[in-house]
Amino acid sequence: MTATPATPGTPAAPAQQPWEPALSVRQVLGLERVLAGEPEVVAGADRLDRPVRWVHVAEAADVGVMLSGGEMVLTTGVLLAGDEDKQGEYIRSLHRAEAAAVVLGLGRAFPAPPDVMRRAADRCGLPMVVLHRPFPFAELTEEVQSRLLRRKFAAVSLSEAVRTELTGLITAGAPVQRLLDEVARHGGCPVVVTNLAHRVLATAGERPAVDDVLRDWERIARQAGAGTADGWIRAELTCRGEKWGRLVLCGYRGDRAAGRLLAERAAEALVLHRLLGGDGQPGGGPGGPGGAWDSPGSWEEQSARSLLTDLVSGAVPARHLLPRARAAGLPVNRRVFVPLVVGVRDTARLDRVLRLLGLSGIAAGLADDRAVVLLSLAPDQDARALTAHFAARLRSAADTAHTVVAAADARADWADVPAGLREAQHVADAVADSPAALDLPPVVRLRDVHLRGLVRLLRDDPHVQSFAERELDGLLRGSDGDLLSVLRTYLATGRNKSRTAQLHHVSRPALYRRLEAIQGRLGVDLDDFEQAASVHIALLAHDAQQG
């Protein structure tokens, strides 16, 4: 009973509703009761994986009119003996009705497999099985029907249990990742959520299994879409009549009908969560993207955020995140990566600029009104020039001249990307509290932050904190915040009194009076370089601590 490869052009197995349980023809023939009848497949050996929805005993030549598809038909052929036309029509009628298989019990009517029926079954691609030993059809019918009913009951029970559990999680305010984790637990396989372009938005399941799936995701996704991947079950995600993504059970090994129900229930839960909670969705979990599913933003943004967050944190080695980056649509083979932190949290705007410039990259908003951008460039592209071009277009698109892009040097090795992202964040932190008087370039790098960057790194050191409090005590104990602001501008402009007076919209005599008040409270001479530098460092440390 070895199946042979399918023949092109032969009819496919009848389509099933997601809730329909089934046994394959091969599984039925492997039942102990059937094996006692010594079954032999004489035709359609390459169709033994067809699903069997039900079993019928039928002798009439026009049996097809009584079938609805997927049935295994049992016959002794007593009404067909001696009439080859009826024998051929019997097989053709089963084929037209999309029967799963025909089982002929050999005996007085047919002591040997009839050639007419065998040839007709071969032409139709219909599995034909003969039983060499007498066999009570009632026993086979009872066995198969009881198994199908148990499967149907188990599938419906699973469906209701999953629906109840997921609905309970939703009403309790659980994040979507928790829902996906439960689906992966029920399915015993990785779960992947994609957009319509097969880009991975979220995953759940055991990390090694998820990584194996994502490592060759593009090929696997095409096979799953074509229905040729074994154990891959997908459900469409549709909201308000618009299809927006897919949920895929990857390598599900249970009953296919139960898997379809599980996928459908999971899809329903995701759509319900989206309707109740808006578009803020995905996050991470043990097997995939991490982060906040419930914060504002699209699935794509949350997927990018989870990937970038894992890269920056170092909790997951960069090499393990490479399949996720590739599955998310980021080019990673033979590329150069430029980490950026931008003073714009609107990722839609960032995506528009990337598309306008034809740049590949991912962007995700942060909690402090900034965004991380990871550019992926070809090795022959000028990373510095393109970064400057990106910053210029972003300033134009943002309609502001104060949008700062903090950049790290380009990384040719994916393993160096986490360090690059942290460097860009450090640069962004160093200039975050810079006064408007400080003239910053459109693209700020580590070498541009100088002392401010060093102080930012040391801001949590108790000695630095104590130094700042001691140096600025005379101003911090007072209630006049304007003096602190004047001091900040005065030092940031390189002690340029004219520029400081202009920025604070005061006359020079008024500025002199304020500077004298500052010097009196601090007990310093700001015309002395060392004393002014000491106060400047203390002020930088104070601002960094406050930031």
Side-chain angles (χ1 to χ4, degrees):
M1 296 196 306
T2 303
T4 56
T7 304
T10 55
Q16 288 180 268
Q17 297 299 321
W19 54 266
E20 288 180 323
L23 293 167
S24 68
V25 174
R26 191 186 308 278
Q27 288 174 315
V28 172
L29 297 181
L31 296 177
E32 185 176 350
R33 291 187 179 182
V34 179
L35 291 175
E38 297 183 6
E40 177 189 359
V41 180
V42 297
D46 56 343
R47 295 292 185 269
L48 297 184
D49 291 318
R50 280 183 167 185
V52 176
R53 289 193 309 106
W54 213 242
V55 176
H56 280 299
V57 178
E59 304 287 357
D62 58 350
V63 62
V65 299
M66 298 181 287
L67 306 180
S68 58
E71 294 89 350
M72 174 178 278
V73 177
L74 311 180
T75 181
T76 61
V78 66
L79 299 181
L80 305 176
D83 191 331
E84 293 187 350
D85 290 339
K86 283 186 178 181
Q87 294 170 20
E89 179 55 28
Y90 185 85
I91 296 297
R92 289 189 290 272
S93 176
L94 295 178
H95 172 64
R96 289 193 297 269
E98 297 184 329
V102 59
V103 178
L104 174 66
L106 300 181
R108 285 181 298 175
F110 291 102
D115 287 340
V116 173
M117 295 179 69
R118 183 183 55 77
R119 289 195 300 269
D122 260 335
R123 286 193 296 270
C124 294
L126 176 70
M128 180 176 173
V129 182
V130 295
L131 299 175
H132 288 278
R133 294 176 62 87
F135 183 87
F137 284 169
E139 290 185 9
L140 175 57
T141 302
E142 179 184 7
E143 174 81 7
V144 174
Q145 313 302 51
S146 63
R147 286 176 178 263
L148 291 176
L149 287 173
R150 287 197 299 271
R151 282 181 172 229
K152 183 172 184 178
F153 179 77
V156 172
S157 297
L158 171 66
S159 172
E160 290 308 309
V162 170
R163 174 182 279 153
T164 301
E165 183 175 352
L166 296 184
T167 302
L169 289 174
I170 292 172
T171 55
V176 175
Q177 184 63 46
R178 177 74 184 282
L179 273 64
L180 289 180
D181 289 341
E182 287 302 308
V183 174
R185 183 179 66 82
H186 278 290
C189 66
V191 177
V192 176
V193 178
T194 76
N195 63 12
L196 297 180
H198 301 299
R199 290 193 175 185
V200 175
L201 305 180
T203 62
E206 296 183 1
R207 185 182 300 279
V210 172
D211 287 345
D212 285 343
V213 168
L214 297 185
R215 193 166 290 113
D216 197 15
W217 174 251
E218 188 174 342
R219 178 186 63 82
I220 293 175
R222 284 197 300 267
Q223 289 184 346
T228 58
D230 183 34
W232 284 62
I233 301 173
R234 71 176 191 172
E236 304 296 335
L237 300 174
T238 304
C239 189
R240 297 187 180 95
E242 182 180 354
K243 187 185 298 182
W244 59 272
R246 299 180 180 90
L247 179 141
V248 186
L249 303 183
C250 307
Y252 181 76
R253 296 305 177 193
D255 179 71
R256 190 166 183 83
R260 286 173 175 167
L261 277 172
L262 177 61
E264 291 295 333
R265 296 298 85 82
E268 290 173 5
L270 292 187
V271 172
L272 178 60
H273 194 287
R274 179 169 181 151
L275 288 172
L276 294 178
D279 290 336
Q281 305 291 335
W293 283 76
D294 305 297
S295 55
S298 68
W299 284 74
E300 287 82 358
E301 179 188 352
Q302 295 292 343
S303 176
R305 179 183 302 172
S306 68
L307 173 61
L308 293 172
T309 299
D310 282 351
L311 280 168
V312 172
S313 69
V316 182
R319 67 180 183 278
H320 292 164
L321 297 173
L322 193 59
R324 275 174 53 188
R326 184 184 293 109
L330 184 72
V332 295
N333 293 333
R334 295 185 296 278
R335 305 291 287 189
V336 172
F337 305 97
V338 183
L340 309 174
V341 174
V342 184
V344 174
R345 195 175 187 276
D346 184 357
T347 55
R349 179 183 296 165
L350 296 173
D351 289 337
R352 285 196 298 271
V353 174
L354 290 174
R355 288 195 301 269
L356 181 66
L357 299 178
L359 297 176
S360 297
I362 55 176
L366 302 177
D368 53 359
D369 293 327
R370 294 185 299 180
V372 176
V373 180
L374 182 60
L375 300 180
S376 174
L377 308 176
D380 59 349
Q381 291 181 290
D382 189 332
R384 284 184 172 266
L386 287 174
T387 302
H389 198 189
F390 172 81
R393 284 298 181 98
L394 184 61
R395 286 191 171 197
S396 174
D399 196 25
T400 174
H402 301 296
T403 302
V404 175
V405 174
D409 292 334
R411 262 58 178 179
D413 190 337
W414 174 259
D416 295 333
V417 169
L421 287 168
R422 289 191 288 271
E423 179 183 316
Q425 280 195 319
H426 166 60
V427 174
D429 288 342
V431 300
D433 49 35
S434 300
L438 192 61
D439 188 19
L440 295 171
V443 179
V444 185
R445 301 182 185 277
L446 193 59
R447 61 180 176 80
D448 298 318
V449 297
H450 304 297
L451 179 62
R452 185 177 298 274
L454 175 63
V455 171
R456 190 82 183 192
L457 282 176
L458 300 175
R459 63 180 175 176
D460 294 326
D461 188 295
H463 296 89
V464 174
Q465 294 172 357
S466 177
F467 168 77
E469 291 292 322
R470 183 174 62 251
E471 288 291 301
L472 302 176
D473 181 64
L475 285 181
L476 296 179
R477 282 190 293 107
S479 58
D480 190 356
D482 182 58
L483 291 182
L484 196 64
S485 176
V486 169
L487 175 62
R488 184 180 291 110
T489 304
Y490 179 62
L491 295 173
T493 58
R495 295 183 293 172
N496 187 321
K497 295 176 182 176
S498 297
R499 179 63 175 156
T500 303
Q502 179 185 12
L503 289 171
H504 283 269
H505 307 289
V506 298
S507 64
R508 287 183 63 119
L511 176 66
Y512 294 157
R513 289 192 294 272
R514 296 184 187 187
L515 290 176
E516 288 174 0
I518 291 170
Q519 293 180 104
R521 291 194 183 187
L522 296 181
V524 299
D525 178 7
L526 293 178
D527 289 331
D528 180 86
F529 175 78
E530 184 174 340
Q531 294 183 56
S534 180
V535 172
H536 193 185
I537 293 171
L539 186 58
L540 290 175
H542 169 75
D543 289 344
Q545 292 157 16
Q546 296 301 310

